[in-house]
Amino acid sequence: MRSIFKTGAAALAAATMLSGAALADGHALSGELRIFSDMSNPAPRAVMEGMVERFGAEHPDLEIELVITDREAWKTQIRNVLQSGTADVVNWYAGNRMAPYVEAGLFMDISELWEEGGLTETLASTQGSMTMDDGIWGVPYTYYQWGVYYREDIFAELGLEAPTTWEEELSNCQAIIDSGRACYTIGTKFLWTAGGWFDYLNMRTNGYDFHMDLTAGEVEWTDDRVRATFENWATLIEMGAFIDDHQTYSWQEALPFMVNGEAAAYLMGNFAVAPLREAGLSDDQLGFYQFPQIDASIEPGEDAPTDTFHIAANAENVEAAEAFLLFVTSAENQTLINNGDNLGQLPVNANSSVDDDEFLNAGFDMLSNNAGGGIAQFFDRDAPAEMAQVAMQGFQQFMVDPSTLDQVLQILEGARQRIY
Amino acid sequence: MASVTTDTPIQHSDPTPRRKISQQAIAPWLFLLPAFLFFALYVIIPIVQSFYISFYEWNGLYSPEYRAVEGTELTDLACTELGNRAARTEGCEPTGANVWTGEYVGWENYQQLWNDPFFWTSLQNNVIWLLLYFLAIPGGLFISLFLNQKVFGMRLYKSLFFFPFVLSQVVVGLVFSWFYLPNDGLLNQVLIFFGFESINILGSNEYATYGIIAAGLWPQTAYCMILYLTGLNAVDPEQIEAARLDGAKGPKMLWYVVLPQLWPATFIAIVVTVIGALRSFDLITIMTNGGPGFYNTSVLAFYMYDVALSEFGFRMGYGSAIAVILFLIMMVYIAGFLWKMWRDEKGA
């Protein structure tokens, strides 16, 4: 375990004062607290149930009702739950994915809770992604890095080092292709994986701020800077860097290529580590590196999608809901739920500790010390849903046939003018 | 309507006959009422709503409504405008009711559709589906003729042919996805064995739609086959006998004697095939998710789902506009169907 000391007494005081206990006036919480969660996969589910159990133990008079919905189904069900007034606390995502609910007034603005609970100190790194229209609309509970997971043993066999520049990247890739492998595995059937590639290439080619302007609809897709990003992408595609037929595979179906050594690396979120390990890759075979620089003058931006809790605008037990959000984000709870036995991700609280896992440490180090450009949520959470959908289809189309670039950019520009 | 005779003396006027008549008039409507109610609730009203919503821009959300708590100086209107944080602190509370957030845009959704390349792609794919799906009808007919013999073990064969029909479309989609898998799928294994290149059917803009239609034809053909098998049971053996005596054989016998008697089965087969082709949705979702690229295998039903109900959708107005177009296409076909039924009734 490794502690993170970041801020001074104020944050510490706030964290100890509010480590899940009821708010300052000290009276116990009572009534009913209804939580709707999408943490439906086995590990997250256990984490969620554990949190409810521990929070319930602190507040014996509070009756907590927890409903866990399938993560995919929740993406549509949240609408009914928020509107029917059956929930106090719900799970969702940071960034632009909040926008429809913020605009419809379905999430409660909890700026005051952030101030009073000292969250502006302890959760400072994620405050931006929770802020919209001068309000703060929820709290994060976990996030994870993206980056390149690669087969160290294949790199060693070919005498390669993890690349830090675009030139190294291309020469590495050529060596891997010459050895009869693909540099990268990817499955683009459900589109978002291609969004990850675009995020990184665009942030490395044009910088974080430009990427944010583009996802906010302030830049034309036919802009030369966007073309430059696609040119870098085309360089990789045309040399044969990606596996064939990726448009037919889901991200999971693309894993075996890396496990069998037919591909040397995978640009993916940290959640890919668990299935890679389960498939039999040891930590000696598996390595991680940050997506290489393309333009040395540009500070690297990183994707680190954040999962969140929100209070419904028509919540009945606001007091208990607020206490639960403070409990979830407390340093102690954050350390516990994000460790390797639970979520295996990164804690959002600056006073938490990161579990001693090779990849979590690498990710934490990268996001703390080497993401000077800024932290993005991910293409489909930064861009409005409609734009995300059509753009990611365009990325897939482009990956399958780079010669269609002009047509793709025309369609995306048309969509941009209509959507924003 | 019977007329009531009025030559009965007035002092003995007995309302029974009139009541009888009214009962006779009302009873059928009473019996029909539940059906009408449900039909209205689940079919008619939603259709009207689809038309209505297609003139709006709406993301499918309602805003919570607030009211002033007694004793504060705020009005209900002020509460609603305050936003939820202020509302809670200034002395308002949610009423539990919701406010619709739709915005009237007139014909804009339809204008957008007209200029939407993905809509035209979907419509074009719908036409391809419709045309190719008709192959299920002759296919089903020939399999049923083949199975309509007295051979040992025929029941087993028949049940094997029934098999795809009882499978869920989702399962069919999965099975065919594996069948088409590049390199490892059965199809490509065979191609590679004979020295051809592996082709990625579902990953190519040219072939993907045809690949899905082929998968859809598998259960659809079985469906038509079942219809024809039942039809063949009803063929009059005496007519066959008579035709034999007149020297009819093979194709001639089929065309002039058997097929005319199978017309009812053919009619139903056409109906289910057209409907099957127009609502093709699950196979596309499972096999390609509308891709590759920009909706290359999408059809209207899928496109509607994707813009209105999928993870990145929730354009309810636009989705309704697509639904209206699909409904009008169906309407042409249904009108023709009803007209034919009416003509048959009259002919009978």
Side-chain angles (χ1 to χ4, degrees), chain A residues 293-309:
Chain A
Q293 262 184 349
I294 291 178
D295 177 339
S297 67
I298 288 177
E299 286 276 345
E302 289 293 328
D303 269 340
T306 307
D307 293 358
T308 55
F309 278 106

Side-chain angles (χ1 to χ4, degrees), chain A residues 128-197:
Chain A
S129 64
M130 302 306 305
T131 306
M132 193 172 281
D133 300 347
D134 306 327
I136 307 180
W137 305 94
V139 296
Y141 69 91
T142 186
Y143 71 128
Y144 53 88
Q145 81 272 15
W146 269 65
V148 183
Y149 294 83
Y150 70 108
R151 288 284 302 269
E152 276 178 331
D153 49 343
I154 292 177
F155 271 54
E157 175 196 325
L158 302 173
L160 305 174
E161 293 284 320
T164 54
T165 67
W166 192 236
E167 290 71 34
E168 288 171 14
E169 162 71 32
L170 294 180
S171 70
N172 273 1
C173 193
Q174 197 53 57
I176 293 166
I177 292 168
D178 293 342
S179 76
R181 301 177 176 97
C183 315
Y184 294 102
T185 184
I186 183 172
T188 59
K189 182 175 178 181
F190 296 104
L191 308 176
W192 54 268
T193 47
W197 270 95

Side-chain angles (χ1 to χ4, degrees), chain B residues 67-262:
Chain B
R67 66 167 164 241
V69 179
E70 278 177 39
T72 54
E73 291 174 12
L74 288 166
T75 60
D76 289 2
L77 184 67
C79 280
T80 303
E81 285 173 355
L82 269 174
N84 57 45
R85 174 179 31 166
R88 283 300 181 93
T89 51
E90 304 284 324
C92 305
E93 57 183 13
T95 61
N98 291 314
V99 187
W100 197 54
T101 58
E103 195 184 328
Y104 181 75
V105 292
W107 291 95
E108 203 177 289
N109 285 322
Y110 292 96
Q111 284 162 352
Q112 253 187 49
L113 266 188
W114 184 258
N115 298 318
D116 182 349
F118 309 148
F119 167 75
W120 293 108
T121 309
S122 304
L123 189 61
Q124 186 189 332
N125 284 335
N126 252 133
V127 173
I128 297 173
W129 269 85
L130 200 56
L131 294 177
L132 289 179
Y133 240 49
F134 275 110
L135 290 173
I137 295 172
L141 174 64
F142 285 111
I143 294 173
S144 67
L145 289 171
F146 164 72
L147 290 178
N148 200 30
Q149 332 176 23
K150 297 261 185 295
V151 183
F152 173 74
M154 195 37 110
R155 284 209 173 142
L156 178 68
Y157 280 118
K158 272 188 187 173
S159 55
L160 284 177
F161 275 95
F162 281 160
F163 188 52
F165 174 61
V166 295
L167 286 180
S168 146
Q169 293 265 307
V170 174
V171 176
V172 173
L174 274 176
V175 168
F176 270 83
S177 296
W178 296 325
F179 174 71
Y180 290 136
L181 262 186
N183 303 315
D184 307 329
L186 188 62
L187 178 71
N188 283 310
Q189 288 283 317
V190 171
L191 285 177
I192 290 166
F193 179 81
F194 286 109
F196 294 99
E197 287 275 293
S198 162
I199 46 173
N200 185 355
I201 301 242
L202 296 180
S204 81
N205 292 348
E206 294 82 29
Y207 307 129
T209 289
Y210 299 104
I212 303 173
I213 294 173
L217 278 173
W218 190 50
Q220 191 65 32
T221 306
Y223 195 177
C224 293
M225 176 199 81
I226 293 169
L227 293 171
Y228 278 120
L229 274 175
T230 50
L232 284 170
N233 283 339
V235 168
D236 186 355
E238 286 179 12
Q239 283 195 30
I240 304 282
E241 198 65 28
R244 280 248 167 79
L245 290 174
D246 289 344
K249 269 205 201 67
K252 270 213 162 114
M253 166 81 97
L254 177 68
W255 188 252
Y256 290 105
V257 182
V258 180
L259 268 189
Q261 296 187 63
L262 285 178

